[in-house]
Amino acid sequence: MTPQEMTEIRNKRMMAALNMEKPDRIPINLSGLGFFKFIDPTAVLADYFRRPKYIDDLLIQAAQLPIIDEIDQAPMVGFTTEAGQTAFAAMYFAKIKLPGRELAEDALWNIDEQGPMTEEDYDTVLDKGWGYMTAELNKRIGFDPASLPPPDMEYMGELMQKVAALGKASIGMGGLLPFPSFEVLSGARKLPQFFKDLRRMPDKVRAVLEIMEDYAVDETIKALKSGPPAVYGFIGGTRAGCDFISPKVFEKFHFPFYRKVIPAMQKINVKSWLHQDSDWGAFLHYFREFDKAQCIWDPDQMTGMAKIKEVLGDKMCIEGDVPPGLLAVGTPDECYKYAKDLCDLMGDTGFIMSAGCSVPPNAKRENIEAVILATLGK
Amino acid sequence: MSQKLIDAMADLDEDLIVSEVKALVEKKVPTLEIISYLQEGMGIVGKRFEQKEYFLSELIMSAELFNTASALLGGIGGAASSKYGTFVMGTIYDDIHDIGKNIVTTVMSSNGFHVVDLGVDVPTAKYIEAIKEYKPKVIGISCLLTTAFDNVKECISSIEAAGLRDSVKILIGGGPVDEATCKYVKADHVCRNAQETVEYAKKYMGV
């Protein structure tokens, strides 16, 4: 079979899951940042920034290892750069701490929250808009998007050819889209201060969020329209689950973002990939209002797949949720059992096998293999 | 007795907390007494959290407000809050997450423990120094990154190598931390939240 034919099969498999139809088998999305160690155990996470081409090469080799090659998703090459991580952190108006620079050689990069926005800035947003405020806050944290080095298009072209030769799924994800406005504002103010704002001046916070949400939706649609065709867009959420905030706060301050962005994306035929860390159990039912097969629910291990299936199983594709801790320190038998039980629970329609949140860089190869084998029923 | 301060703390009313603490200081009410009102208010916050009337957002806020009020009193000295002994806590090295740690340290402090907060990205040597200096019966290690599990394991192993392991119970907590992690790093207990930390520590100390 040629790589193109393989890609076609995998794309069909992924699309069936996303559309909540029955695929030929459960798709497997288990690519991990640390797979380079399966080829060179001496390489470290700092090498992503020190010798990125070497790491890309190792990741491509790792994707071809027996059993690991059953993963449908492409290896995570090409985008874990210093510029990319800096831009990612800046979405929360935060700085990034990198391995080999501020952190140990094999430490995971950390987001260092700055909270540059003042209470007076709420009025500035009301007066001058969120675009103006974004530029101002970026200045305050010393981030200049224009100063980021442009991607090396020639190298990226070569890399994409190497990835294409692997025959992995190639369905498009829209670029880095704005995070929910509630999360962005909490980063801009810093979490404790933001929660105090919610209590002290709820109407002003809501008014600012209204402006931010409309801005974020416009930016999202612009980004999706300007890039290559996307099947889905990634929307990340990490600090607004039902353990964090009350249903009242969620309804008034957070959910309006989803109500705006999901239908707007649907209008241009792009699904919403909802990466939802922390416990969302008591908030799942809100998401039933969206049309069937327009969202993908991508949790960490905190919510629980049984609950997600019970509430959203007939509405959207669900990905998950082998715990990262289990992949890092569990045994292959434990991982196999978890994945097997998960397959039995979720069935083969509208489900993608993955880790909760993401595969940790220190996941053991034998544990990843155990999850794959369990998914394949071997 | 300042029911006003207790209620202000319980209701997370920052302006009222600040004005009432200042008023009590002006009236020369002893610092320990003012702290006891704040602690009582924090106790109500904890109960409301257990009853799901409050959420993590309120706990985070309460920690901030408690610290703001404490700062007005010149900080909470060891003697002021060491009714149940000392609790040492930090976030393990290579990890700078502080929200969970801050909640736990404040809730422990408001529950009568003398808290030594080592901060974030804490090296093993600092834990060992703190154990030697403060002789806590319980310490807490926060870890939000799966990649830092080995650091927690190394830290606990070094505490053991320094001959200090038998003198302390080591609690761990953080998003990805579970029973399997506890076994792997050889900690004594996983705490899911701040209240569980309080309960474990009180039970262990026979309070």
Side-chain angles (χ1 to χ4, degrees):
Chain A
M1 196 178 295
T2 66
Q4 289 82 358
E5 287 166 339
M6 208 48 231
T7 291
E8 208 170 301
I9 290 172
R10 290 187 194 277
N11 281 350
K12 208 170 157 191
R13 182 178 296 151
M14 280 295 293
M15 284 311 301
L18 299 185
N19 289 328
M20 303 187 68
E21 295 154 0
K22 190 176 162 67
D24 62 326
R25 70 157 169 81
I26 295 169
I28 303 172
N29 268 10
L30 276 170
S31 293
L33 281 168
F35 283 17
F36 60 81
K37 294 185 181 199
F38 300 168
I39 306 295
D40 178 0
T42 68
V44 290
L45 287 168
D47 288 325
Y48 263 106
F49 311 102
R50 193 179 294 135
R51 41 178 185 166
K53 291 182 182 177
Y54 177 62
I55 291 294
D56 285 341
D57 187 45
L58 297 181
L59 289 170
I60 285 172
Q61 287 182 55
Q64 299 168 77
L65 291 168
I67 305 178
I68 300 289
D69 64 359
E70 294 285 356
I71 293 173
D72 294 294
Q73 184 188 23
M76 304 174 78
V77 293
F79 60 86
T80 306
T81 61
E82 184 175 340
Q85 292 305 312
T86 304
F88 178 77
M91 291 175 78
Y92 285 106
F93 304 103
K95 292 186 174 181
I96 194 81
K97 288 193 167 184
L98 295 179
R101 197 173 71 184
E102 294 89 357
L103 301 170
E105 288 282 294
D106 206 20
L108 188 63
W109 35 95
N110 278 213
I111 286 180
D112 188 11
E113 213 163 57
Q114 303 294 306
M117 183 174 160
T118 66
E119 191 173 326
E120 292 72 38
D121 287 332
Y122 280 99
D123 290 321
T124 308
V125 179
L126 295 175
D127 187 30
K128 296 183 174 173
W130 184 246
Y132 174 87
M133 197 72 243
T134 299
E136 176 59 29
L137 295 176
N138 280 339
K139 259 189 240 164
R140 289 182 200 170
I141 60 165
F143 173 66
D144 176 10
S147 72
L148 295 177
D152 179 344
M153 296 312 287
E154 193 182 333
Y155 172 65
M156 291 305 284
E158 286 168 24
L159 196 55
M160 289 309 106
Q161 277 183 4
K162 286 181 189 171
V163 172
L166 296 172
K168 297 293 183 183
S170 65
I171 59 167
M173 179 180 95
L176 193 55
L177 304 181
F179 288 143
S181 306
F182 181 92
E183 302 230 353
V184 174
L185 191 55
S186 75
R189 286 287 283 150
K190 262 195 164 180
L191 207 49
Q193 195 54 53
F194 176 62
F195 287 142
K196 282 201 259 176
D197 296 343
L198 285 177
R199 211 172 177 88
R200 290 180 58 169
M201 43 181 201
D203 293 339
K204 189 177 271 189
V205 175
R206 180 60 235 156
V208 163
L209 282 169
E210 194 76 30
I211 290 170
M212 290 175 68
E213 287 158 5
D214 293 342
Y215 182 86
V217 171
D218 284 350
E219 290 294 304
T220 298
I221 300 305
K222 248 191 265 171
L224 290 170
K225 281 184 173 172
S226 65
V231 169
Y232 61 87
F234 183 92
I235 300 172
T238 59
R239 45 172 57 172
C242 62
D243 47 353
F244 255 92
I245 53 176
S246 69
K248 274 187 187 167
V249 169
F250 179 72
E251 283 170 22
K252 181 169 178 177
F253 297 100
H254 196 5
F255 193 58
F257 169 81
Y258 294 103
R259 274 205 163 128
K260 290 177 185 176
V261 79
I262 292 171
M265 286 168 68
Q266 186 179 351
K267 264 190 194 162
I268 57 167
N269 209 22
V270 178
K271 297 178 192 297
S272 298
W273 188 290
L274 306 175
H275 182 86
Q276 308 289 65
D277 285 346
S278 86
D279 183 0
W280 285 75
F283 293 165
L284 292 170
H285 65 93
Y286 290 102
F287 291 83
R288 287 194 58 79
E289 75 177 45
F290 301 113
D291 288 345
K292 186 174 175 178
Q294 285 307 317
C295 300
I296 300 95
W297 194 268
D298 170 19
D300 64 10
Q301 78 281 11
M302 305 290 280
T303 304
M305 292 293 267
K307 178 79 180 169
I308 300 169
K309 184 177 166 65
E310 179 197 327
V311 181
L312 295 175
D314 62 332
K315 293 293 281 189
M316 62 183 73
C317 175
I318 301 165
E319 183 186 76
D321 82 336
V322 185
L326 190 64
L327 291 170
V329 303
T331 65
D333 284 348
E334 288 167 339
C335 291
Y336 187 95
K337 184 180 183 316
Y338 191 98
K340 166 90 173 48
D341 291 347
L342 196 52
C343 291
D344 291 345
L345 170 74
M346 301 305 290
D348 58 5
T349 302
F351 170 56
I352 299 169
M353 175 59 78
S354 185
C357 185
S358 61
V359 177
N362 56 338
K364 290 182 202 155
R365 179 175 164 185
E366 56 270 29
N367 287 349
I368 299 289
E369 289 171 350
V371 172
I372 294 168
L373 290 172
T375 311
L376 297 175
K378 291 184 178 171
Chain B
M1 169 84 173
S2 172
Q3 192 59 46
K4 202 170 167 185
L5 182 54
I6 295 169
D7 292 344
M9 188 68 237
D11 296 339
L12 306 171
D13 187 333
E14 184 174 20
D15 294 341
L16 197 51
I17 292 169
V18 170
S19 64
E20 187 60 11
V21 167
K22 283 181 178 169
L24 293 172
V25 169
E26 268 180 32
K27 282 184 205 163
K28 308 247 184 280
V29 174
T31 303
L32 280 180
E33 194 178 324
I34 301 173
I35 288 169
S36 74
Y37 301 144
L38 292 168
Q39 288 175 330
E40 201 172 331
M42 284 294 281
I44 298 169
V45 170
K47 282 197 184 85
R48 289 180 183 172
F49 179 73
E50 279 171 23
Q51 291 159 357
K52 295 200 184 297
E53 187 185 334
Y54 277 176
F55 297 81
L56 281 172
S57 54
E58 279 85 7
L59 279 192
I60 291 168
M61 220 185 319
S62 71
E64 280 283 300
L65 298 178
F66 187 81
N67 290 335
T68 302
S70 306
L72 292 172
L73 299 166
I76 293 186
S81 56
S82 60
K83 194 161 52 162
Y84 303 138
T86 299
F87 175 70
V88 169
M89 185 170 183
T91 302
I92 196 66
Y93 58 95
D94 293 338
D95 187 343
I96 62 167
H97 288 90
D98 64 354
I99 292 171
K101 172 193 69 69
N102 291 348
I103 294 174
V104 173
T105 52
T106 309
V107 171
M108 287 294 280
S109 182
S110 66
N111 272 276
F113 290 88
H114 169 222
V115 172
V116 178
D117 185 343
L118 300 178
V120 299
D121 195 13
V122 179
T124 296
K126 211 166 161 186
Y127 283 102
I128 290 176
E129 274 168 34
I131 295 169
K132 284 180 180 168
E133 184 178 347
Y134 299 103
K135 300 182 174 44
K137 287 188 176 168
V138 180
I139 71 165
I141 302 177
S142 176
C143 176
L144 269 287
L145 297 173
T146 313
T147 45
F149 284 180
D150 279 324
N151 301 1
V152 179
K153 188 178 186 183
E154 179 280 322
C155 180
I156 293 175
S157 158
S158 295
I159 290 170
E160 188 167 3
L164 300 167
R165 184 67 180 88
D166 293 339
S167 66
V168 288
K169 290 288 180 192
I170 301 178
L171 312 182
I172 56 169
V177 169
D178 59 13
E179 290 304 329
T181 319
C182 187
K183 199 172 143 193
Y184 178 73
V185 303
K186 297 188 177 160
D188 292 301
H189 188 67
V190 182
C191 290
R192 310 274 165 215
N193 53 47
Q195 290 308 122
E196 205 179 315
T197 314
V198 171
E199 280 159 28
Y200 182 96
K202 280 187 173 174
K203 197 173 169 190
Y204 179 64
M205 293 182 188
V207 178

